[in-house]
């Protein structure tokens, strides 16, 4: 058994081309978890002062006896760094957001030029903008943090639409946001959005005209009425977590998960509530309220 197999028994990352053993190269870089990347010195020395200094005292080597230098990063982070610095054909945007954030954190350490980093981040953010407009995105908090840190203001607003379900009271989430975004203002902006959304819930509920459409039994007292209003608000909070909420024609009631008592529902009520209501008109009212409802941070 190879000595390195004893030291790194669970090596799972196999470097792909152009960093695998079959690729051209004159040195090896080994990650802290044992993955070995074959590299061309002149490529890295032209891309980073860190690697220029690292390789400057190494003598020329023969192909069968290449030097191996240890790098402090884990395999996937080192791979992301090399893709960033290497003129490879692989799409750098295949790097996931977690390792994009790690590369940002080590930019200064490895002397990654700002122009190189900004070109890469612009590609990452640009691709995810399209995804954010069409549907869901992976790691929206990471994207929000990146966009905030590097001044992509419109993109920050867009990504904030995908963070309504994030628990801002979670200490780990809050700390990661502050570290990756580089400013407490990124957290304050999201907290302000939560506050504005909560304040605007009344307009969402009012669009359904509950005073007009609750049956006599469920509007006979303020206690009963506001109990159901509270239930409706809870249902609305859940329905409004979507980044692009839409009300289909005639489905204002079901949008909030409000159904009759003999069906699956978020709020149970009797069959007399909203009996005879013009669902199409209510849907139009609700859609207009949704268009005014806060969905993005203010910048």
């Amino acid at each position: 058994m190879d000595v390195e197999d004893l030291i790194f028994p669970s090596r799972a990352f196999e470097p792909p081309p152009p960093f695998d053993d079959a690729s051209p190269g004159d040195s090896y870089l080994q990650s802290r978890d044992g993955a070995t990347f074959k590299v061309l010195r002149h490529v890295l020395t032209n891309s980073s002062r860190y690697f220029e200094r690292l390789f400057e005292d190494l003598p020329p080597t023969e192909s069968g006896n290449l030097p191996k230098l240890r790098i402090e990063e884990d395999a996937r982070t080192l791979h992301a760094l090399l893709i960033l610095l290497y003129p490879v054909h692989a799409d750098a945007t295949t790097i996931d957001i977690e390792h994009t954030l790690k590369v940002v954190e080590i930019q200064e350490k490895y002397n990654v030029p700002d122009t190189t980093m900004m070109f890469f981040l612009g590609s990452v953010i640009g691709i995810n903008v399209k995804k954010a407009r069409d549907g869901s995105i992976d790691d929206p908090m990471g994207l929000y943090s990146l966009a905030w840190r590097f001044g992509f203001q419109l993109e920050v607003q867009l990504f904030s639409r995908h963070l309504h379900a994030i628990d801002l009271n979670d200490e780990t989430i809050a700390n990661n946001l502050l570290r990756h975004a580089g400013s407490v203002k990124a957290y304050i902006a999201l907290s302000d959005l939560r506050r504005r959304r909560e304040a605007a819930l009344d307009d969402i509920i009012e669009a359904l005209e509950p005073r007009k459409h609750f049956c006599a039994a469920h509007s006979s007292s303020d206690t009963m009425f506001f109990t159901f209003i509270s239930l409706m608000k809870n249902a609305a909070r859940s329905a409004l977590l979507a980044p692009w909420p839409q009300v289909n024609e005639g489905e204002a009631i079901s949008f909030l998960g409000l159904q009759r008592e003999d069906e699956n529902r978020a709020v149970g009520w009797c069959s007399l509530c909203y009996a005879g209501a013009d669902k199409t008109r209510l849907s139009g009212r609700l859609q207009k309220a949704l268009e005014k409802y806060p969905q993005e941070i203010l910048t």
Side-chain angles (χ1 to χ4, degrees):
M1 179 180 288
D2 191 286
V3 172
E4 290 189 358
D5 290 330
L6 295 173
I7 299 174
F8 307 109
S10 60
R11 284 182 291 176
F13 186 85
E14 294 293 334
F19 309 115
D20 63 333
D21 204 47
S23 295
D26 51 17
S27 294
Y28 288 108
L29 298 179
Q30 187 176 64
S31 66
R32 68 165 182 252
D33 47 356
T36 302
F37 297 78
K38 194 175 185 181
V39 298
L40 291 163
R41 297 183 203 177
H42 73 274
V43 173
L44 294 180
T45 56
N46 288 332
S47 302
S48 161
R49 279 285 295 150
Y50 174 90
F51 287 105
E52 183 180 349
R53 293 190 296 268
L54 184 68
F55 291 129
E56 63 184 356
D57 294 327
L58 286 181
T61 56
E62 297 179 359
S63 59
N65 187 30
L66 303 184
K68 182 182 294 184
L69 296 92
R70 303 294 173 89
I71 302 296
E72 296 177 355
E73 314 307 325
D74 65 83
R76 294 187 182 279
T77 301
L78 178 55
H79 181 231
L81 176 65
L82 292 176
I83 285 180
L84 200 62
L85 296 175
Y86 232 72
V88 295
H89 296 294
D91 186 358
T93 59
T94 59
I95 303 172
D96 62 27
I97 301 304
E98 176 187 355
H99 291 91
T100 298
L101 290 167
K102 287 185 178 180
V103 169
V104 168
E105 289 185 341
I106 61 177
Q107 177 186 4
E108 184 175 350
K109 175 180 178 181
Y110 291 99
N111 304 122
V112 178
D114 288 341
T115 52
T116 300
M117 181 62 73
M118 289 302 294
F119 179 81
F120 166 61
L121 292 178
S123 298
V124 171
I125 290 174
I127 284 177
N128 280 282
V129 162
K130 185 178 187 305
K131 291 180 179 178
R133 288 173 176 159
D134 294 341
S136 62
I137 50 177
D138 295 328
D139 197 355
M141 183 62 86
L143 284 164
Y144 173 85
S145 302
L146 278 175
W148 186 287
R149 186 182 190 114
F150 290 94
F152 293 86
Q153 292 189 350
L154 293 178
E155 291 80 359
V156 166
Q157 288 182 290
L158 175 61
F159 295 146
S160 70
R161 283 179 168 265
H162 293 260
L163 296 175
H164 302 321
I166 297 294
D167 182 4
L168 295 180
N169 293 319
D170 185 296
E171 186 174 348
T172 299
I173 290 175
N175 288 339
N176 284 339
L177 171 59
L178 295 179
R179 185 174 82 255
H180 295 317
S183 172
V184 69
K185 291 182 180 179
Y187 181 88
I188 293 173
L190 287 176
S191 297
D192 176 68
L193 175 58
R194 295 288 172 88
R195 179 191 58 77
R196 292 186 294 114
R197 285 168 63 84
E198 186 64 23
L201 270 180
D202 287 338
D203 293 333
I204 297 295
I205 303 305
E206 181 57 33
L208 293 176
E209 300 177 329
R211 281 286 186 190
K212 182 177 180 180
H213 296 293
F214 276 8
C215 71
H218 290 148
S219 59
S220 58
S221 69
D222 286 344
T223 299
M224 178 66 75
F225 178 78
F226 286 111
T227 295
F228 272 79
I229 292 297
S230 178
L231 292 172
M232 290 179 73
K233 282 188 174 183
N234 284 334
R237 291 186 187 98
S238 179
L240 293 169
L241 293 178
W244 307 97
Q246 294 289 326
V247 181
N248 295 326
E249 184 176 353
E251 296 185 6
I253 308 303
S254 60
F255 173 81
L256 296 186
L258 311 179
Q259 304 291 341
R260 294 183 179 180
E261 60 185 0
D262 58 343
E263 301 175 21
N264 295 327
R265 73 281 189 191
V267 180
W269 49 22
C270 70
S271 59
L272 296 178
C273 290
Y274 284 90
D278 185 340
K279 303 294 197 308
T280 299
R281 187 181 69 84
L282 288 178
S283 296
R285 285 174 53 85
L286 182 56
Q287 184 59 46
K288 288 181 180 180
L290 288 178
E291 291 168 1
K292 298 178 181 178
Y293 188 72
Q295 291 285 3
E296 300 178 348
I297 65 166
L298 300 175
T299 60

